[in-house]
Amino acid sequence: MNKLPKKMSGVLLTGHGGLEKLEYRTDLPVPIPENDEVLIKVGASAVNNTDINTRVGWYSKCVKEQTDAGAVDSFQTINEDDASWSGIPVKFPRIQGADCCGEIVAVGEQVSSDRIGERVLVRTLQQTVMTPAEYSCITYGSECDGGFSQYTKVLATEAFPIQSFLSDAELASFPCSYSTAENMIDRANVKANDTVLITGASGGVGSAAVQLVKRRHAEVIAICSENKKEQLYKLGADKVIQRGLNLLNSLGKNSVDVVIDLVAGKQWPELPELLRRGGRYTVAGAIAGPIVELDIRTLYLKDLSFFGCTYQSRAVFENLIRYIERSELQPLVAKQYSLLEIKSAQQDFMAKNFVGKLILLPSQ
């Protein structure tokens, strides 16, 4: 630690609200790792929905609006007591950033010094010693400081060594989106020859899901805007449907085995109708609006299974590391920004005019 700087640059989220709540600083203290932690020099991070949702307070049950309007910076009414994904108030100021690729530069007393110099990815959804119960977890960058800084610290067990020729920016595109997608696919037990419908397929999680479903040799039907269709075909989608079209007219009832949903919203009632008997629906997002209408008879008469997906077992991230190291996945870096440009990056993220991930590089 003696050779490391005492201060670093980073972005503080100072409260719920608009972009003005993001404060770029150059005088933040470099974290000191506890006994079981490692200190990481951040190579790259990325923008995710959870960063925006937490900042604007969208997770509060008071909020009924969608998150994909683009210009949304804040809502008229939120309850700060439940305005985080976990329902526990966020402790401000907070350094966000659910993605992190970097290098271990220091370790706590209980961690082998052999780990110094390791290139690592940080697991986004962590089941730590503080949250041992099943389905209890924390999100890196929400309940603890994340990757929007020059240095970050995590439990040694949550920094996963990675062997890859990919750049830091490319590797930083994986942790949050791809682990979310793999978890949904795993929970829904996607198998070879299944027909899988993916909503919001051009986003970070959606584009990850296209690749991860294809590696299981299942058929992908992707939904996205018209101007992104060709990119989805290049990723491996077997069929692409323009967002907003009537899905029942396009595909017919009882036509898919699995729905991977990241959108919800007004069109949601079509999704259970699309599922075959015994079909599986899995969800990890609601960018078109969190309130939907369900005819409960469809659920039980068709023997459907519904999976809400947040908690991830450790095996999900271990599998993701293996896929990356075997070059089975294609990183999708749409654009790179310096951390100083975080407000522009989040504005571009909310406009949704890209496929893949927007990457943030720390100031050097």
Side-chain angles (χ1 to χ4, degrees):
M1 289 293 293
N2 293 335
K3 297 180 181 179
L4 296 171
K6 301 296 184 183
K7 301 293 182 181
M8 67 177 183
S9 60
V11 176
L12 294 180
L13 178 66
T14 60
H16 296 296
L19 291 167
E20 76 282 353
K21 296 296 185 179
L22 296 172
E23 184 179 335
Y24 181 82
R25 298 270 295 274
T26 59
D27 60 348
L28 301 176
V30 172
I32 298 175
E34 300 293 333
N35 287 340
D36 53 356
E37 294 178 332
V38 296
L39 180 69
I40 297 170
K41 184 177 182 181
V42 178
S45 188
V47 183
N48 289 285
N49 272 310
T50 189
D51 306 321
I52 314 297
N53 293 343
T54 297
R55 173 171 61 76
V56 302
W58 179 83
Y59 290 115
S60 173
K61 293 297 179 65
C62 298
V63 177
K64 311 299 181 185
E65 295 96 325
Q66 63 191 38
T67 67
D68 66 348
V72 173
D73 278 330
S74 61
F75 299 103
Q76 294 297 317
T77 303
I78 68 167
N79 178 358
E80 294 201 0
D81 289 338
D82 72 342
S84 73
W85 73 271
S86 64
I88 300 172
V90 178
K91 294 181 179 180
F92 298 111
R94 171 66 70 216
I95 297 174
Q96 292 184 288
D99 289 307
C100 177
C101 174
E103 178 187 340
I104 294 177
V105 293
V107 298
E109 291 185 0
Q110 296 177 7
V111 182
S112 171
S113 60
D114 291 344
R115 296 206 62 183
I116 294 175
E118 277 186 359
R119 196 181 193 198
V120 294
L121 288 180
V122 176
R123 183 161 71 128
T124 302
L125 262 294
Q126 303 178 2
Q127 187 173 24
T128 73
V129 292
M130 297 176 289
T131 56
E134 189 175 15
Y135 293 109
S136 183
C137 55
I138 65 170
T139 295
Y140 176 66
S142 291
E143 284 70 48
C144 64
D145 286 340
F148 291 169
S149 56
Q150 286 181 300
Y151 294 88
T152 185
K153 68 173 186 175
V154 298
L155 286 171
T157 53
E158 301 299 346
F160 286 68
I162 182 80
Q163 302 292 329
S164 174
F165 62 85
L166 296 174
S167 68
D168 287 347
E170 290 171 324
L171 287 175
S173 71
F174 288 118
C176 185
S177 293
Y178 284 73
S179 63
T180 299
E182 176 68 6
N183 188 47
M184 297 172 78
I185 292 164
D186 196 53
R187 293 280 298 280
N189 191 27
V190 172
K191 303 183 296 294
N193 301 318
D194 277 345
T195 299
V196 181
L197 178 71
I198 302 173
T199 68
S202 62
V205 179
S207 57
V210 171
Q211 294 189 65
L212 288 162
V213 168
K214 291 305 296 182
R215 74 168 298 280
R216 295 192 183 210
H217 307 291
E219 180 183 356
V220 169
I221 303 172
I223 300 174
C224 68
S225 58
E226 177 68 23
N227 64 335
K228 300 172 183 174
K229 291 177 69 172
E230 288 305 314
Q231 290 169 281
L232 268 296
Y233 278 123
K234 289 179 181 178
L235 279 180
D238 299 283
K239 184 173 184 177
V240 182
I241 298 175
Q242 183 178 341
R243 186 179 64 192
L245 292 182
N246 186 292
L247 298 176
L248 293 173
N249 290 342
S250 300
L251 299 173
K253 288 187 176 183
N254 307 316
S255 56
V256 303
D257 300 291
V258 177
V259 170
I260 294 176
D261 187 22
L262 304 157
V263 175
K266 294 180 180 179
Q267 201 171 7
W268 190 90
E270 296 180 42
L271 301 180
E273 297 293 341
L274 292 170
L275 284 167
R276 298 186 176 113
R277 291 186 179 277
R280 293 95 74 195
Y281 167 87
T282 178
V283 61
I287 62 173
I291 308 302
V292 300
E293 183 178 291
L294 168 66
D295 186 334
I296 202 71
R297 292 168 295 188
T298 304
L299 174 59
Y300 76 82
L301 290 174
K302 292 178 69 174
D303 286 294
L304 303 180
S305 297
F306 279 25
F307 300 93
C309 294
T310 293
Y311 168 79
Q312 299 171 16
S313 70
R314 188 174 180 85
V316 168
F317 206 78
E318 291 172 338
N319 287 339
L320 180 59
I321 294 291
R322 283 194 285 270
Y323 303 159
I324 297 169
E325 292 186 334
R326 295 197 297 249
S327 300
E328 295 179 1
L329 301 174
Q330 175 184 346
L332 296 174
V333 176
K335 189 175 180 180
Q336 299 182 37
Y337 306 77
S338 73
L339 195 54
L340 185 60
E341 300 173 299
I342 189 170
K343 294 181 181 179
S344 295
Q346 289 201 2
Q347 285 176 322
D348 289 348
F349 184 92
M350 291 185 289
K352 302 295 183 186
N353 294 321
F354 64 95
V355 175
K357 296 297 291 283
L358 303 183
I359 301 299
L360 290 168
L361 303 176
S363 302
Q364 300 302 323

